[in-house]
Amino acid sequence: MARRLTLDFVRTASGSGLLLAAAALLAVIWANSPFAPRYFGFIQAEIPVRVGSFALTKSVGHWVSDALMPVFFLVLGMQAKFEVLRGELSSPRRLALPLAAALGGLLVPALTFLALNLGVPRTAGGWATPMATDMGVAMAVLSVAAPRLPPPLRIFLLTVSLADTLVAVVVNGALFAGDVHWKALAGAGLALGLLAVMGWWRRAPFLFYAAGFVVVWAFTIDSGVSTALAGVACGLTVPIGARRPGQDSMLTYFMDSMHPYVAYAVLPLFAFTSAGFAFRGHSPDQLLAPAPLGVGLGLLLGKPLGVFGFSLLAAVLRIGRRPTGVTWLELLGVGFLSGIGFTMSLFVGFLAFGDDPLARTQVRLAVIAASVVAAGLGGALLAMAERRRADLGDDAF
């Protein structure tokens, strides 16, 4: 049951990856066409929302980032809780190597960025941008390039991307909280506490949880803290126990029912509203500025070096074992796929460079360019590994 839920999550993420890429490509083409003013007019159009005393006006792009993306992080938080308590990561022996790989995927890209930006106060704070991995696109490339590779490889990639994205978002959300309104933050904490206590009520109506999520989000957006953190925190409060004998738990119900909408609607919409930028006024040499160079090299070199290098180190030190039936060449290919930052690095970069339009545009270009190259290299290595399996037979591994 646990393995089926894990693989179902992987398949949904894989299926949405191509849609994400198509949405981003459409945004880039539209932003550089004669109809570009309509694209930018759409994402910059302001939409007011008023519910009682709550009133807020944001652009379409900001609403997608601040109101829809937290739903993705809600599902991600629930998936992380499920995998650790009941899923593929509940075994310490299975958990050790992918966690070591995830640690490498966090440290090496961040250090790569800092090595190029440490003396640049304006951009040094963006070190978390190359730490994130776009799970959907990475899974899609793996499925297209090498569909017959063993399932443990997909679960390894899921673990690394899940851990790295959560840490990157939490770290960056905390670093760029801005002016924190402590009363609103206390209200969010109180609402989270009530959600956690409600977990003891096994037959609590679904509507109570939905209302609780909205209340936490409303307090958080008023507090100045990233609403992505509210999504993750809410996901961790959902109980994993069954509501009644023979029924799914609240967590698996929410996760299974919400994930397809997130994968096929929320993430593509975010890709569409965040990936579009005009080439006019920008040249390739701008990628050599410290911020985009740090992000690009962090994703393209830091990620595979960190993921593969720490996996190898963990195996040599006998801290963890390679996933069953998986080769080192396949793990290297997954290391490059983890360098596909795309929507997640765009999201983290939005938080880090939101007040610097030039750096934000440069970083956006670096994320897209590095993600495309990482996808090509990772896909080529995995396709090579699959052909090698076909020649030698799976029994040889």
Side-chain angles (χ1 to χ4, degrees), residues 318-374:
R318 298 182 182 275
I319 297 173
R321 295 191 314 173
R322 264 186 303 162
T324 305
V326 174
T327 68
W328 286 113
L329 179 61
E330 291 160 0
L331 284 182
L332 179 60
V334 164
F336 275 101
L337 292 191
S338 69
I340 303 174
F342 197 41
T343 54
M344 293 303 99
S345 287
L346 290 175
F347 180 82
V348 176
F350 179 85
L351 297 177
F353 301 102
D355 296 331
D356 190 336
L358 177 60
R360 183 180 169 189
T361 299
Q362 292 173 342
V363 166
R364 189 184 308 172
L365 180 58
V367 166
I368 294 175
S371 297
V372 169
V373 177

Side-chain angles (χ1 to χ4, degrees), residues 61-85:
H62 280 89
W63 275 122
V64 172
S65 176
D66 293 342
L68 292 184
M69 284 299 284
V71 181
F72 165 72
F73 291 107
L74 169 67
V75 174
L76 211 60
M78 289 190 287
Q79 179 66 21
K81 180 174 181 176
F82 173 81
E83 293 298 335
V84 170
L85 296 181

Side-chain angles (χ1 to χ4, degrees), residues 32 42 80 195 202 213 224 228 253 265 338 343 366-367 389:
N32 291 277
F42 167 70
L195 281 173
R202 289 185 179 273
F213 298 155
Y253 173 81
S338 69
T343 54
V367 166
R389 278 182 178 273

Side-chain angles (χ1 to χ4, degrees), residues 9-267:
F9 188 91
V10 168
R11 279 192 287 270
T12 305
S14 303
S16 70
L18 297 178
L19 183 59
L20 283 178
L25 181 61
L26 175 61
V28 172
I29 292 174
W30 194 351
N32 291 277
S33 74
F35 305 100
R38 294 187 180 181
Y39 171 78
F40 292 107
F42 167 70
I43 63 175
Q44 293 168 5
E46 293 193 340
I47 299 177
V49 172
R50 180 181 294 275
V51 179
S53 61
F54 179 85
L56 197 61
T57 299
K58 286 179 174 285
S59 68
V60 170
H62 280 89
W63 275 122
V64 172
S65 176
D66 293 342
L68 292 184
M69 284 299 284
V71 181
F72 165 72
F73 291 107
L74 169 67
V75 174
L76 211 60
M78 289 190 287
Q79 179 66 21
K81 180 174 181 176
F82 173 81
E83 293 298 335
V84 170
L85 296 181
R86 296 280 179 83
E88 291 295 315
L89 307 182
S90 56
S91 166
R93 291 178 65 84
R94 289 178 178 172
L95 187 58
L97 190 116
L99 276 190
L103 179 62
L106 292 168
L107 292 178
V108 180
L111 291 174
T112 301
F113 181 92
L114 285 173
L116 295 164
N117 288 267
L118 200 54
V120 188
R122 184 173 61 89
T123 60
W127 52 269
T129 305
M131 290 164 57
T133 296
D134 192 306
M135 183 191 311
V137 178
M139 292 292 183
V141 174
L142 175 57
S143 297
V144 171
R148 290 181 291 276
L149 289 180
L153 190 65
R154 290 170 170 76
I155 296 169
F156 178 86
L157 178 56
L158 167 71
T159 307
V160 172
S161 57
L162 187 65
D164 285 358
T165 298
L166 284 174
V167 172
V169 168
V170 169
V171 168
N172 224 45
L175 286 176
F176 296 96
D179 295 329
V180 178
H181 300 158
W182 294 104
K183 289 183 178 180
L185 191 61
L190 177 60
L192 273 174
L194 292 175
L195 281 173
V197 171
M198 196 163 60
W200 294 96
W201 182 13
R202 289 185 179 273
R203 299 185 182 182
F206 294 141
L207 184 61
F208 283 20
Y209 278 94
F213 298 155
V214 173
V215 169
V216 173
W217 171 84
F219 274 121
T220 304
I221 201 169
D222 193 42
S223 73
V225 174
S226 170
T227 52
L229 302 183
V232 174
C234 285
L236 297 178
T237 66
V238 179
I240 197 168
R243 289 168 58 80
R244 292 190 177 99
Q247 285 189 341
D248 287 341
S249 69
M250 182 82 72
L251 186 142
T252 55
Y253 173 81
F254 273 133
M255 190 171 66
D256 288 351
S257 58
M258 294 173 67
H259 184 49
Y261 295 101
V262 168
Y264 293 108
V266 173
L267 289 177

